[in-house]
């Protein structure tokens, strides 16, 4: 038996080429993901350890709104466990670029540095010491083009401009806030003068000689009391690394999910290959059984083939993945915006290849291959010894089994579809957010699982339709459609593989387009004008204490290019309590969980006519009815608070002399209006007597003014006020669009790996079809079928698979993309980008033709003499 097993003819390597390619691509994806994530983690860990070495203990405010008291630093310095202590003033200031404009969309972080216990050190130059000196974060310096020795201008808390000489550059490393906002570093007295901050945002200490860091931390905690949160330097470093590492883990998790999809698609291709090879070798297996081979030996033979193919292909995939990851790290380090995507420190990445990444990549490839080969190996053991004498009788077993089990397949598919619908309904009914999206994604996975049992039936039905439709192209094209029907399970595996990849790309496209549409809708609601002028850092739609300089609206109105200027004032009001009617919020406040102490955003438009200068649709009432004592409520706020036209709401203001409560009646429920309540300016002034100044200005150009003239006029006025930002709804929409388009391209490229594997699967299916039908192809050639006709046959079969798989995937992807978008954000505006989806469907045609070329080449080499051979095959 040993000699017989060794003499068994081995399949030619070409039969496993597509399978090996699928494994290589999947494993390369997994390995590259692990190497790239390990490189990011190593960079973060190195920075955290370096920072932890500089201090032994750190104290932070327990309440971010209440800084540590200034006298606390003196108490800490008197501790016997402390050798040195430093307090960090923490505030914000507007950093101007070389053109005099505010750098970035929010004020920069303003900090103090210096002293023996300061965590900050200058990576270039030195820290500031004199009143006219400052240091910049490396990210801020790069963004504005500043270097050591340059002069920078900073706008302080009082709106005054201050010039400083740059003495050094500070690498803040893992600080995500600095990566997003930038930072300016001053000497302590200068930091207080510029920011107006009181107390300290941090106190760091170096322990006395012989004192352990934990003991220094305990002493620090005792001195500062409950107002401080203390930790050792090492704990602080780990916490900072974990905060920054969230982004790394998120990116790594997303990439691993894509890699898992690629492996799943590869497994379908692998299983398809082994199923056909086992079927093709039925006679050989039966002969071995006749000669005494046991079922265990047959099973071991198929598994051994899978193990060899999986191990060799996984090894090649690991090497390819390492090469791809190293290249990605090198490219990412050279991109100036890498920190914005992957976090601070991405620009100094060094490729890290850990044994775990190599082993996991190898294991993923081998395990996926073995798992895919188990069912074919089991089916091989079911081959009876006498099957060698009746191979022809079993040729259509797949088709017979499909017809016999049609009802069972439909029942299984229906049950899974019902589960998918139920899970998706739960996700869409939940509070929008990541958890709800995860539930919807789970429903999508179950839905694709529901396609698996019914896929052979879909293939058979589609093949019948295709055969009728392709009849006009001749016998060759009709034969291609019929060939798919003859082995529906094999063809279905390729269809499902394509459907998974196409579904993921379509779903993400729908989610991306819906999020973009929703953001555009929100910006149109928050910015109902061409331009908005806001205090630097406040944002166009945020309420806050920052106010615009007085007289700014009058300056804008003087320009002939400006048609209308609407003043906007915003604040947060306290909601009153009590049942509806005379007090409260119509009973809705309690229902919404906004009892005493709850707040609501309020807005007023001094000088503007609601319903005329500011128009919006109303769900009930009329905006023109807003007057003293009467308010308009945004639709979502009305729903949350249970308010309707005619209800009363009690509001409390702030400031000296402000009334404890004002009773206001709802005059209108507005659609697409700022969230919260819109008050008459007189009511706003009574509730907020200290809110002097406008929160923002909405500017609309004159009817006959060119768009460039309007923008120039607005920017010219704003240039005289450094603390003022100009934002454009159109520009912001364009910015968001470019951002999402960029993200879409990245994700589409990742998912494209899964689609590429699926296309390989289509080619593999056709190649196995050629292998299985060697005698039939030889007979057709003998009867006069030309090589062109043979190519048309295989092309028709490839197009059937490609179009069916892509159509199924696009349908499921669109449905679950809409569901995922609804679960992602409240008030989602659904959007199906028909152009992108149509492009995806159109891409199925060339993909199918390309997949058919290699099998067609093999089929064209089959000789008529193969009719007398055992199977025929390509040369």
């Amino acid at each position: 038996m040993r000699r017989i097993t060794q003499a068994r003819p081995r399949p030619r390597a070409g039969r496993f080429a597509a399978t090996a390619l699928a494994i290589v691509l999947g494993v390369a994806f997994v390995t590259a993901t692990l190497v790239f994530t390990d490189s990011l983690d190593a960079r973060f860990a190195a920075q955290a350890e370096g920072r932890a070495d500089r201090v032994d203990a750190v104290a932070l405010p327990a309440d971010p709104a209440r800084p540590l008291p200034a006298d606390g630093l003196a108490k800490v310095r008197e501790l016997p466990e402390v050798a040195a202590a430093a307090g960090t003033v923490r505030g914000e200031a507007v950093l101007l670029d070389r053109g005099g404009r505010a750098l970035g969309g929010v004020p920069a972080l303003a900090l103090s540095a210096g002293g023996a216990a300061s965590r900050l050190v200058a990576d270039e130059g030195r820290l500031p010491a004199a009143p006219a000196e400052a240091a910049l974060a490396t990210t801020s310096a790069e963004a504005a083009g500043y270097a050591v020795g340059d002069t920078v201008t900073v706008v302080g808390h009082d709106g005054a401009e201050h010039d400083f000489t740059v003495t050094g550059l500070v690498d803040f490393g893992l600080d995500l806030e600095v990566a997003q906002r930038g930072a300016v570093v001053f000497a302590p007295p200068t930091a207080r003068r510029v920011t107006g901050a009181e107390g300290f945002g941090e106190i760091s200490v170096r322990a006395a000689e012989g004192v352990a860091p934990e003991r220094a931390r305990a002493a620090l905690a005792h001195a500062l009391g409950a107002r401080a949160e203390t930790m050792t330097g090492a704990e602080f470093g780990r916490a900072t690394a974990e905060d920054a590492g969230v982004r790394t883990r998120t990116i790594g998790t997303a990439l691993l999910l894509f890699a898992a999809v690629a492996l799943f698609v590869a497994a379908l291709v692998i299983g398809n290959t082994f199923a056909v090879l086992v079927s093709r070798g039925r006679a050989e297996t039966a002969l071995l059984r006749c000669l005494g081979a046991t079922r265990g030996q047959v099973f071991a033979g198929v598994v051994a083939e899978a193990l060899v193919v999986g191990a060799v292909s996984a090894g090649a995939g690991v090497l390819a993945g390492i090469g791809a990851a190293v290249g990605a790290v090198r490219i990412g380090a050279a991109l100036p915006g890498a920190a914005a995507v992957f976090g601070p420190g991405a620009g100094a990445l060094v490729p890290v290849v850990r044994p775990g990444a190599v082993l996991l990549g190898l294991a993923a490839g081998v395990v996926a291959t073995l798992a895919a080969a188990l069912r074919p190996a089991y089916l091989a053991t079911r081959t009876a010894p006498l099957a060698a004498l009746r191979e022809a009788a079993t040729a259509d077993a797949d088709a017979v089994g499909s017809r016999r089990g049609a009802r069972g397949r439909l029942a299984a598919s229906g049950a899974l579809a019902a589960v998918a619908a139920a899970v998706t309904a739960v996700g869409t009914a939940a509070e929008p957010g990541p958890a709800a999206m995860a539930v919807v994604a789970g429903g999508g996975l179950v839905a694709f699982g529901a396609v698996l049992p019914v896929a052979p039936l879909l293939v058979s039905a589609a093949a019948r339709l295709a055969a009728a439709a392709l009849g006009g192209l001749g016998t060759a094209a009709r034969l291609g459609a019929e060939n798919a029907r003859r082995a529906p399970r094999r063809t279905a595996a390729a269809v499902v593989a394509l459907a998974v990849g196409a579904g993921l790309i379509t779903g993400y496209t729908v989610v991306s387009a819906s999020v973009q549409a929703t953001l555009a809708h929100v910006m149109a609601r928050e910015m109902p004008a061409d331009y908005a002028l806001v205090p630097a850092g406040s944002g166009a739609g945020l309420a806050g204490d920052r106010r615009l300089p007085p007289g700014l609206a009058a300056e804008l109105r003087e320009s002939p290019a400006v048609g209308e200027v609407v003043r906007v004032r915003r604040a947060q009001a306290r909601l009153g309590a009590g049942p509806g009617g005379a007090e409260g919020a119509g009973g809705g406040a309690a229902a919404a969980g906004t009892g005493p102490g709850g707040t609501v955003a309020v807005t007023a438009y001094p000088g503007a006519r609601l319903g005329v200068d500011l128009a919006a649709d109303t769900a009930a009432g009329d905006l023109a009815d807003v007057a003293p004592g009467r308010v308009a409520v945004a639709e979502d706020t009305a729903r949350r608070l249970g308010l309707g036209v005619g209800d009363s709401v009690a509001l409390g203001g702030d400031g000296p002399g402000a009334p404890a409560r004002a009773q206001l009646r709802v005059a209108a429920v507005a659609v697409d209006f700022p969230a919260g309540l819109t008050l008459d300016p007189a009511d706003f002034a009574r509730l907020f007597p200290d809110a002097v100044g406008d929160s923002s200005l909405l500017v609309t150009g004159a009817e006959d003014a060119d768009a460039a003239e309007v923008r120039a006029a607005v920017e010219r006025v704003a240039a005289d006020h450094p603390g003022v930002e100009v934002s454009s709804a159109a520009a912001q929409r364009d910015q968001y669009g470019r951002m999402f388009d960029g993200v879409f391209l990245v994700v589409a490229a990742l998912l494209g790996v899964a689609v590429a594997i699926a296309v390989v699967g289509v080619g593999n299916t056709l190649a196995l079809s050629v292998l299985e039908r060697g005698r039939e192809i030889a007979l057709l050639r003998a009867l006069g079928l030309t090589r062109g006709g043979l190519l048309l046959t295989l092309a028709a079969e490839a197009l059937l698979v490609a179009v069916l798989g892509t159509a199924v995937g696009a349908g499921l992807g669109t449905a679950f993309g809409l569901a995922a978008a609804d679960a992602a954000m409240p008030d989602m505006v659904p959007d199906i980008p028909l152009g992108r989806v149509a492009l995806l469907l159109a891409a199925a045609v060339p993909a199918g033709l390309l997949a058919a070329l290699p099998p067609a080449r093999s089929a064209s080499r089959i000789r008529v003499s193969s009719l007398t051979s055992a199977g025929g095959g390509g040369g």
Side-chain angles (χ1 to χ4, degrees), residues 401-414 453 457:
S402 296
R403 290 193 295 269
R404 185 177 302 162
R407 291 184 179 179
R409 290 176 178 275
L410 288 173
S413 181
L457 302 179

Side-chain angles (χ1 to χ4, degrees), residues 114-579:
S118 176
R119 288 191 300 107
L120 299 180
V121 296
D123 290 81
E124 183 179 341
R126 61 175 176 81
L127 292 177
E133 295 178 344
L136 299 179
T138 53
T139 53
S140 299
E142 290 173 1
Y146 286 124
V148 174
D150 290 344
T151 298
V152 299
T153 302
V154 176
V155 180
H157 71 100
D158 56 357
E161 295 185 11
H162 307 271
D163 291 335
F164 298 94
T165 299
V166 178
T167 62
L169 303 180
V170 179
D171 183 2
F172 283 84
L174 298 176
D175 198 319
L176 290 178
E177 184 179 11
V178 174
Q180 295 167 354
R181 300 176 56 181
V184 188
V185 180
F186 306 101
T190 307
R192 291 200 186 280
R193 175 168 57 89
V194 172
T195 65
E198 298 180 355
F200 294 107
E202 176 187 324
I203 293 178
S204 54
V205 304
R206 284 193 177 277
E209 187 175 353
V211 176
E214 181 57 43
R215 188 176 157 198
R217 185 208 64 77
L220 187 63
H222 183 267
L224 297 177
R227 292 188 62 174
E229 178 186 356
T230 60
M231 62 192 80
T232 65
E235 290 170 345
F236 179 84
R238 284 194 296 270
T240 307
E242 287 175 2
D243 289 342
V246 168
R247 182 173 299 190
T248 314
R249 289 191 295 272
T250 301
I251 294 171
T253 301
L255 291 175
L256 284 174
L257 287 175
F258 294 141
V261 171
L263 274 180
F264 171 73
V265 175
L268 292 175
V269 175
I270 296 164
N272 209 14
T273 301
F274 280 99
V276 173
L277 290 178
V278 167
S279 176
R280 177 65 181 150
R282 187 187 302 272
E284 177 185 329
T285 303
L287 180 59
L288 291 174
R289 293 294 310 281
C290 286
L291 297 176
T294 64
R295 289 188 173 184
Q297 288 174 315
V298 171
F299 184 86
V302 177
V303 170
E305 289 178 352
L307 182 62
V308 171
V309 173
V312 173
S313 303
V318 166
L319 294 176
I322 292 174
V326 170
V329 168
R330 298 297 188 196
I331 294 173
L335 294 176
V341 179
F342 299 109
L349 283 178
V350 175
V352 175
V353 182
R354 292 175 176 163
V358 174
L359 294 177
L360 282 175
L362 288 171
V366 174
V367 171
T369 307
L370 288 178
L374 287 180
R375 183 177 182 274
Y378 170 74
L379 293 177
T381 65
R382 304 284 299 273
T383 301
L386 294 179
L389 303 178
R390 47 186 171 87
E391 182 179 7
T394 61
D396 292 327
D398 188 29
V400 173
S402 296
R403 290 193 295 269
R404 185 177 302 162
R407 291 184 179 179
R409 290 176 178 275
L410 288 173
S413 181
L416 288 173
V419 172
V423 172
T424 304
V426 171
T428 53
E431 185 72 19
M437 287 191 69
V439 173
V440 172
L445 291 176
V446 177
F448 277 104
V451 175
L452 283 170
V454 79
L457 302 179
L458 291 175
V459 168
S460 296
R464 282 194 293 270
L465 293 175
L470 296 174
L473 296 179
T475 304
R478 190 168 59 252
L479 279 175
E482 291 293 341
N483 287 336
R485 289 184 60 194
R486 295 172 58 186
R489 287 181 183 172
R490 181 187 65 218
T491 306
V495 168
V496 173
L498 262 182
V500 171
L504 285 171
I505 290 183
T506 306
Y508 183 81
T509 304
V510 170
V511 171
S512 176
S514 298
V515 172
Q516 283 180 270
T518 303
L519 290 174
H521 176 75
V522 170
M523 283 189 287
R525 180 183 65 191
E526 297 293 342
M527 296 181 63
D530 296 333
Y531 296 95
L533 278 72
V534 297
S538 66
L542 301 178
D545 295 332
R546 298 186 183 90
R547 303 289 170 178
L548 291 171
L552 189 60
E555 292 182 43
L556 287 165
R557 291 192 180 103
E558 292 177 358
S559 172
V562 173
E564 186 177 12
V565 179
V566 176
R567 298 163 56 199
V568 184
R569 293 189 175 182
R570 295 188 178 90
Q572 291 286 330
R574 300 192 310 273
L575 279 170

Side-chain angles (χ1 to χ4, degrees), residues 16 143 261 372 455 522 631 636 679 700 726:
F16 291 101
V261 171
V522 170
V631 301
D636 55 347
L679 278 61
T700 303
V726 178

Side-chain angles (χ1 to χ4, degrees), residues 600-622:
V600 64
V602 294
T603 308
Y605 301 93
R609 297 166 298 172
L610 295 183
V612 180
D613 300 327
L614 285 172
D617 294 333
T618 56
D622 191 340

